[in-house]
Amino acid sequence: MNDRRRPGAGRPEPAPGPGTPARRHPRPSREQLAAAANRLLPDVIAPGLDVLFVGINPGLWSAATGWHFARPGNRFWPALHRGGFTPRQLHPSEQDTLPALGLGITNMVARASARADELTAEELVDGARALTAKVEHYRPRWVAVVGVTAYRIGFARPKAGFGPQPEHLGPARLWVLPNPSGLNAHFTPETLGAAFGELRAAVTGG
């Protein structure tokens, strides 16, 4: 199989960092979390990625630390590993190693909030337009929106389900994944990892 069709093929694996993440990175204080409201979080992105993952918007923990999906209990990083995208489970602080694996992260809405349900429908629609322009510029092969409700609202697809979508987003094929938040009780770590694995199988096979 052509290396271009395998996420991370021919690319170096991220090196494990010294120590344990919990010891190296103290938890943000209550004051730091409060101050992170409405803060913007930079994308982890590069041209020509295999998959660009799209969160709904940064939580306060992510905005305070500068790392996507950083809140303890969020299952994005375990699911990424369970799904076969990373050689080991990465800590959120290692997010900048993702482009070397052909992966990136952005958000539908840039501003941070305590909960995703604080966003308005107008923000999600505007975010979908901004995401479309971003995808046109960076041209990933696949875009994976992590949250079906945000996708339905932002892209006016009220009946959309999980998995591959019939439409493209600019040049990219489109997939919808479950929200990995610990608040999403409909998915266990195992079923969430399996959902990510289905995407990886599609990416490596097509």
Side-chain angles (χ1 to χ4, degrees):
M1 186 181 294
N2 190 312
D3 278 356
R4 186 68 189 91
R5 301 158 76 92
R6 298 204 308 273
R11 299 177 173 120
E13 293 186 1
T20 62
R23 291 174 182 167
R24 288 187 289 122
H25 306 295
R27 298 162 66 95
S29 67
R30 183 177 300 178
E31 293 73 22
Q32 287 172 324
L33 291 174
N38 298 316
R39 190 175 294 172
L40 305 183
L41 184 62
D43 294 336
V44 177
I45 199 167
L49 296 171
D50 291 307
V51 185
L52 178 63
F53 291 94
V54 183
I56 301 171
N57 77 311
L60 298 184
W61 202 289
S62 288
T65 61
W67 310 323
H68 293 270
F69 301 105
R71 185 179 181 83
N74 191 292
R75 298 167 295 175
F76 174 81
W77 297 98
L80 202 64
H81 177 52
R82 284 177 181 266
F85 282 103
T86 58
R88 59 181 174 82
Q89 183 176 322
L90 302 180
H91 185 263
S93 64
E94 298 176 284
Q95 64 183 16
D96 290 337
T97 65
L98 288 179
L101 297 172
L103 309 173
I105 305 176
T106 186
N107 287 285
M108 286 273 288
V109 176
R111 76 173 182 92
S113 65
R115 295 175 61 96
D117 59 13
E118 295 177 24
L119 303 177
T120 66
E122 182 180 9
E123 284 182 287
L124 290 169
V125 171
D126 289 345
R129 294 194 193 102
L131 175 63
T132 301
K134 192 174 297 184
V135 171
E136 292 279 4
H137 177 74
Y138 285 98
R139 306 188 72 81
R141 294 176 56 221
W142 288 81
V143 170
V145 180
V146 185
V148 68
T149 301
Y151 176 75
R152 288 171 176 167
I153 296 171
F155 287 94
R157 300 280 191 265
K159 297 183 179 180
F162 296 112
Q165 304 302 306
E167 61 274 4
H168 282 52
L169 186 60
R173 298 174 71 179
L174 191 57
W175 195 282
V176 175
L177 288 165
N179 186 340
S181 167
L183 299 175
N184 184 2
H186 296 291
F187 286 84
T188 66
E190 291 76 19
T191 57
L192 192 62
F196 275 63
E198 290 174 4
L199 169 60
R200 186 178 185 277
V203 174
T204 57

